[in-house]
Amino acid sequence: MQEFRLGELFCGPGGLARGAAEAASDVPGCRISHVWATDIDPDACETYRNNIRLDRNGRVLCADVRELDMDGLPPVDALAFGFPCNDFSIVGEKKGVDGSYGPLYSYAIRAIRHFRPKWFIAENVLGIQAANEGRAFRTILDEMAGAGYSVTPHLYRFEHYGVPQSRHRVIMVGVRDDMDAQFRVPCPSLRRRTDVSCRRAIEIPPVHGMANNELTRHPQTVVERLSHIRPGENAFTANLPDHLRLNVKSVTMSQIYRRLDPDRPAYTVTGSGGGGTHVYHWSEPRALTNRERARLQTFPDDFVFCGSNGSVRRQIGMAVPVEGARIIVEAVLNTFAGIPYAWVGPNIGSEPAGSRAGSDGKALRKSPGARVSRKPAAPAATSKAKSTGASLQASATAATPMALGAGTSSEASAPAATPKPNATGISCKASAPAASPKALGAGTSRKAAAPVATLKAKGTGIS
């Protein structure tokens, strides 16, 4: 049994932790122990305590990360953090590392250097790539690589991973350079949830009588305005009577009083914002309840949030979707266990194409579709990974020369019938990530590759 002791910074209510726990239960021979977690929000900390099963001596600390005594925390070999996104968000000035919240990423880097985990997962918003004209993101990746990690950044579109919400987040997975393991981006297949419509997520089963399901009391003007807005429309695209139009000339944000389209994934659930930003039901003239929002974030119905309605809304909107976290952590665990899984190449590059290795033979920056690492560059045949258009292949990246034979390709022969791409239109590869006996742990056997048929995903018509 391989056990990873997990620590979390900026833990929020526990979306990532819950997903990690579910992933560990799905991967044979792996276990995750939640050793400690910390956040500055007291309600989020209480929610985490009440819903996440901690290690026997596990702790949840409500503290400012800038005042956190890392020497007083137990050692961990896995780390997760979603550093505050306020200064990287598309909605805002995108101050990046020059803002009030942007520099908080440096405490995560400090934790990486202090604890030296075998792997880490970092999450942030799409806007992190553009903050400070791209310099902020490059700085963060540089510091992660400089700490001794091979980092795979990828823009995950969670609606392609079974989450009933169009939520796009940059996830950076780092594997320590001395680990004989290479993380691959899990293929976007809908697996457990083939229907990612918000109607199904909210209505099945009914939410009546569940915790965190209080209705919002709207002014009559809001109710009347919503009654004129059709599913998928917002306050600026709907044909509203003059007295219900918003007196806003400089901003026409698409989310303002936008009603859900019941047959599509929801738009992004946020944790803050004033009137018109609360996500609105497609047929009833009201905002969603917090339980309905939690459904869109794939929290289970027995996950009860603590705090006021506003606090719970904030916790839900700032969390990592449980199902998205489960899929990513499962890929990490499969990587270390040597279990093959369907994967695609990363869609974020750290430098423009054409960057090259330094004179010492170590990778300074790789072209788009490659990992960020300071380890010696991998052979070209194994580092090229196209994220689209590749046929489904069963490859064993950890295969030995004895297994391959002289002059034999590491890719196994494909079956006669070409597998169909998944619902996203992206064809996947099936690989057994490299993992040494040291990484696998004593007595852990490498699992045989899954049949190609299990890697197919049903189409749902989602583009």
Side-chain angles (χ1 to χ4, degrees):
M1 175 68 71
Q2 184 171 202
E3 180 176 359
F4 294 101
R5 294 168 54 82
L6 176 65
E8 285 190 75
L9 300 172
F10 318 107
C11 65
L16 199 153
R18 176 65 185 237
E22 292 183 5
S25 67
D26 291 341
V27 179
C30 286
R31 181 174 183 271
I32 288 181
S33 297
H34 299 271
V35 178
W36 53 260
T38 179
D39 199 282
I40 198 171
D41 183 349
D43 289 337
C45 289
E46 190 63 20
T47 299
Y48 193 106
R49 287 190 192 98
N50 292 344
N51 291 278
I52 304 302
R53 186 174 181 178
L54 296 168
D55 188 58
R56 183 175 58 181
N57 298 315
R59 291 186 288 166
V60 179
L61 297 88
C62 186
D64 188 326
V65 70
R66 292 167 292 193
E67 301 171 359
L68 190 64
D69 179 15
M70 294 187 187
D71 290 326
L73 294 174
V76 293
D77 44 28
L79 191 66
F81 50 91
F83 48 97
C85 62
N86 309 58
D87 289 322
F88 301 113
S89 177
I90 293 175
V91 181
E93 299 179 38
K94 288 184 280 191
K95 296 180 180 178
V97 293
D98 297 328
S100 301
Y101 298 96
L104 294 180
Y105 87 89
S106 64
Y107 293 89
I109 302 297
R110 182 181 301 177
I112 291 172
R113 294 183 181 276
H114 179 86
F115 293 105
R116 298 288 297 155
K118 294 177 181 177
W119 54 268
F120 68 78
I121 294 177
E123 179 261 359
N124 213 278
V125 293
L126 172 64
I128 192 174
Q129 298 179 86
N132 303 124
E133 298 179 342
R135 294 190 303 274
F137 188 45
R138 186 172 301 173
T139 296
I140 292 170
L141 291 177
D142 277 343
E143 294 198 28
M144 289 175 171
Y149 288 80
S150 177
V151 184
T152 304
H154 186 75
L155 174 60
Y156 289 81
R157 294 172 171 84
F158 281 123
E159 67 271 29
H160 292 167
Y161 288 87
V163 176
Q165 178 192 170
S166 180
R167 192 178 188 90
H168 302 167
R169 292 293 183 266
V170 174
I171 307 290
M172 294 153 273
V173 176
V175 176
R176 205 171 67 201
D177 283 346
D178 62 340
M179 296 287 103
D180 191 9
Q182 180 179 345
F183 174 79
R184 307 273 193 182
V185 175
C187 181
S189 59
L190 300 184
R191 288 187 267 195
R192 289 186 175 180
R193 190 191 296 268
T194 57
D195 182 354
V196 292
S197 67
C198 55
R199 184 201 304 273
R200 184 187 187 283
I202 290 173
E203 291 187 343
I204 303 175
V207 297
H208 301 302
M210 293 185 178
N212 306 123
N213 197 45
E214 299 82 6
L215 291 170
T216 300
R217 293 184 179 181
H218 297 294
Q220 185 56 38
T221 303
V222 171
V223 175
E224 187 180 359
R225 179 180 294 121
L226 288 172
S227 68
H228 286 274
I229 300 175
R230 294 179 297 183
E233 292 183 339
N234 60 56
F236 303 101
T237 60
N239 185 19
L240 294 176
D242 289 343
H243 72 285
L244 295 176
R245 294 182 182 276
L246 298 179
N247 188 23
V248 179
K249 297 181 179 179
S250 60
V251 179
T252 57
M253 290 175 58
S254 64
Q255 312 291 54
I256 301 299
Y257 290 111
R258 182 178 174 185
R259 302 189 78 169
L260 295 173
D261 181 335
D263 299 320
R264 297 181 61 83
Y267 54 90
T268 305
V269 175
T270 59
S272 60
T277 64
H278 291 233
V279 187
Y280 297 88
H281 199 276
W282 58 89
S283 62
E284 301 174 25
R286 63 172 179 85
L288 297 187
T289 67
N290 280 323
R291 178 51 53 193
E292 290 168 333
R293 293 187 189 98
R295 286 269 186 95
L296 298 178
Q297 284 279 62
T298 60
F299 280 97
D301 291 331
D302 61 359
F303 197 104
V304 179
F305 296 84
C306 301
S308 66
N309 284 348
S311 173
V312 171
R313 179 201 172 198
R314 182 173 62 252
Q315 294 174 56
I316 294 170
M318 301 293 267
V320 178
V322 173
E323 178 67 0
R326 183 194 69 79
I327 290 172
I328 295 169
V329 175
E330 182 179 292
V332 172
L333 298 181
N334 282 333
T335 295
F336 277 84
I339 299 174
Y341 61 96
W343 57 274
V344 295
N347 58 18
I348 293 178
S350 53
E351 280 283 22
S355 58
R356 56 187 177 81
S359 57
D360 58 355
K362 295 185 177 181
L364 302 177
R365 279 307 193 191
K366 296 183 180 180
S367 59
R371 298 179 298 152
V372 180
S373 175
R374 296 195 185 278
K375 294 196 294 185
T382 60
S383 63
K384 294 179 180 178
K386 297 182 180 179
S387 60
T388 60
S391 61
L392 183 63
Q393 297 169 322
S395 64
T397 59
T400 63
M402 179 175 65
L404 293 175
T408 305
S409 168
S410 63
E411 294 182 353
S413 299
T418 303
K420 298 178 181 179
N422 60 40
T424 66
I426 299 174
S427 297
C428 308
K429 298 183 179 181
S431 72
S436 67
K438 177 179 64 175
L440 290 172
T444 304
S445 61
R446 188 182 302 279
K447 301 292 181 180
V452 173
T454 64
L455 301 176
K456 295 181 181 178
K458 297 180 180 179
T460 62
I462 298 175
S463 61

